[in-house]
Amino acid sequence: DQQEGTGNERRALIYALHNFEALGLTGGILHVNSKIVAFTFGMPINHETFGVHVEKADTSIEGAYAMINYEFAGHIPEQYIYINREEDLGIPGLRKAKLSYHPTILLEKNVAILHHV
């Protein structure tokens, strides 16, 4: 919880894990020597796109992020032709990693604020 927003992220993760089935989530866990080193989960966005909402890995295990990504993508039902890996949060390393998968589409994120007159 040292970085801004990680407390909210932790609460959202706990909520999602406690309500996994009710939310319609699908996930995966990567084990190394009986230790969980990565996990991921997501759900269908529409009939052709699967959204990966969370992907976490132990950064001390080289390749853990790449492997959980690869394995999970390989287990998503074939009907989904797109995987939405969501945003990079403006983090340069995360953006580089996501671009390395050669995305078909990059969507621009915008924020709208309603001002009452």
Side-chain angles (χ1 to χ4, degrees), residues 20-40:
F20 205 79
E21 289 182 24
L23 293 170
L25 296 168
T26 300
I29 296 172
L30 182 64
H31 295 267
V32 173
N33 298 326
S34 302
K35 178 185 170 196
I36 295 173
V37 298
F39 69 93
T40 187

Side-chain angles (χ1 to χ4, degrees), residues 21-78:
E21 289 182 24
L23 293 170
L25 296 168
T26 300
I29 296 172
L30 182 64
H31 295 267
V32 173
N33 298 326
S34 302
K35 178 185 170 196
I36 295 173
V37 298
F39 69 93
T40 187
F41 59 81
M43 62 191 293
I45 294 173
N46 59 41
H47 68 282
E48 62 181 17
T49 305
F50 192 94
V52 176
H53 301 314
V54 172
E55 187 176 83
K56 299 289 180 187
D58 181 344
T59 55
S60 71
I61 308 292
E62 187 176 343
Y65 268 109
M67 185 56 71
I68 192 71
N69 179 321
Y70 175 81
E71 287 296 328
F72 192 51
H75 287 85
I76 293 170
E78 289 183 21

Side-chain angles (χ1 to χ4, degrees), residues 6-33:
T6 57
N8 289 335
E9 180 185 46
R10 182 180 303 254
R11 283 187 289 281
L13 282 171
I14 291 168
Y15 179 84
L17 293 171
H18 282 140
N19 297 281
F20 205 79
E21 289 182 24
L23 293 170
L25 296 168
T26 300
I29 296 172
L30 182 64
H31 295 267
V32 173
N33 298 326

